[in-house]
Amino acid sequence: MAGEGGFGPFPFLLLLLPPLGVQAVMAAKTSALNQKQKEAVEWCDGPQLVLAGAGSGKTRVLAAKIAHLVKEKSVRPHKILALTFTNKAAREMLERVQSLVGQDLHGMQVSTFHSWGLRFLYRNTACLREMGYSLPFVIFDRGDCRSLVKRVAKELGHDAKSYDPGYFMDVISKAKTGCDPASLEPDIDERWRPLYEKYCAELKRQGALDFDDLIALPLHMLCVKRDVLEREQASTQWILVDEYQDVNAQQYMLLKLLSGQSGRVMVVGDPDQSIYGWRGADMSIILRFAEHFPGAQVAVLDQNYRSTGNILGAANYVIKNNAERPEKKLWTASGEGAPVQVLLSLNDYDETAFIAGEIERLSVDHGYRYGEMSILYRMNALSRGYEQSLLENGIPYRIVRGVSFYERREVKDVLSMLRLAVNPRDAAALERIANVPPRGLGKKGAAGLEAYLALAAGEPDSLWGEMRDAPPFKGKAQSGAKELAQMMLGILTAGTMEGAINFILYNCGYEDYLREEFAEDWEDRAENIRELLSIMPEGDIAEALAQAALFTDQETGQESEDKVNLLTMHAAKGLEYPVVFIAGLEEGVFPGARSVLSRDGVEEERRLCYVGMTRARERLYMSGARSRLLFGHFQRAPFSRFIDELPDDGVAVLDRTKGSGNAYGSGNRRRWSW
């Protein structure tokens, strides 16, 4: 998904050992576990796989396991490594552990895989230098990488009309994640090898890493540096991994290397929620855990604490059609609840109008806040119709995405200024802010400055000082280069992150620039810049910037807004809402047109549907349309097979197709086979 980060600005929190009375607190907290959860927590005799269904309390179990290891098994907190996939999961796990033990734990490591990789590289800078990388380094986000790929492709003569940069980025990413860890030799089509090698060389020249490097480089060091491997193994006594169904081959190899022969590994996951195969996740890894870790114990958590019985019954009925899954059936003690509502519409306008009307009815008649309701769809292009209908009905909404805060122009500007100050070879940052605010450095001047900086040697402060005193240009470009160098020196000497950002806003004229360029909302933009202080730490600017690159907008806490949530099914992973509408359920839309060409494709789409259904706590709506305007054309298709797979019990159907041939009913269900 989209994007990763740490807890707060840094994923590794330093916590304090609890004092007396912890055993009593632990006993009270542990008693809240059900029997299967308790058994999973107390098993510490070897590797362990916990198959945790949606809403079954996996975070509670992970937190209780950590507390159990510390208090009952005398494991030192700094010897525990817990790996997650999102900032939110890391934060929630830490909060629960602290609640269990009554106070903080000193040195416990909770991070995403990529944040762990970043911290690993900072622990092993000597190895990084041996590989030809320099310090400080920056992390290129997807936008930076895209710009670099476009530039490299153009220099190599690739026609921009023939290949989308996104395609090249996927080629490069797959080569990095599939490379031999010992040699870093990529598995790549020879047509694209020059592109790959030039892209990697440019990253190294600019002192930059991309997200894939944060896993590939640590894995390489562990494979070729025996002393590094032994040191990392000695520092880690227990490893716990959340969302294990989402790991890829490299992450699995990291786990095997770090755990060594100890077998002190606990992984938690659910094959039924494996929805990231398209970005490299390998579901077979969780299915083969017992082969990878002989003697492993397998625990199954199947009691759901989130959804009603009817929602779970419908979700179980759909997911059982997948062949590649261990048997598991979620259940709840919370009662049946409202039936799952299925809407069959004649067209997409009718579908969107119904959803808007139902949202308003639930708000007025049942007291649901808008923020407690969400509309999920398979692809971003579908949001247009739902947005339009909500606007027409005066219903506030927000689009939930993964990276929008960091994609805001003013935020990227300031981050680029900070990056360039600490790393003068960062061509992507220079290209963005060479003339922001305007200082007479046009494209030609910026290109000349980039060439000059690429060849210059020395520490950033001395390099910027030389440029300030003797700019390598004449005329406007000379004064522009001098002004830029002065700004970079001011950032470096500001002393703190707050000082650096205030220097940019007030001393460099960036706030005045915002006021002139964006008269209507300049104050909001300035506030966005100051908001960076909420998520970036004091201290070393380069390290803080590297951490900031791993954040996503889902960590900035907008959930309190009372607006209907619009988001893709993938973005909904890990979230939950009292009311969920799953819309656009037609063949070719969900499941997607390419997915239906293979069993594996359909099964991943079915898992995605299952994830969407189990986001709902109290009410679930599922809808489709016979005719839909999409990509400028009206498309007619059968309703999704996932509607056909719903049970008769606990499901209420509203058929608005007016007796047309595709009405849903027990006597007219379309069957799918391979």
Side-chain angles (χ1 to χ4, degrees), residues 501-555:
I501 288 178
N502 286 336
F503 178 82
I504 290 169
L505 277 172
Y506 309 124
N507 297 74
C508 299
Y510 190 73
E511 186 178 64
D512 294 334
Y513 166 75
L514 291 177
R515 188 183 285 110
E516 293 174 8
E517 290 292 315
F518 309 100
E520 294 183 359
D521 64 348
W522 73 268
E523 291 176 299
D524 290 339
R525 292 175 182 268
E527 287 179 0
N528 287 337
I529 293 169
R530 285 188 281 270
E531 179 61 19
L532 283 169
L533 295 173
S534 300
I535 51 182
M536 295 184 69
E538 292 296 335
D540 185 86
I541 294 177
E543 196 166 342
L545 287 169
Q547 286 288 344
L550 304 183
F551 275 85
T552 69
D553 208 41
Q554 292 181 2
E555 326 304 337

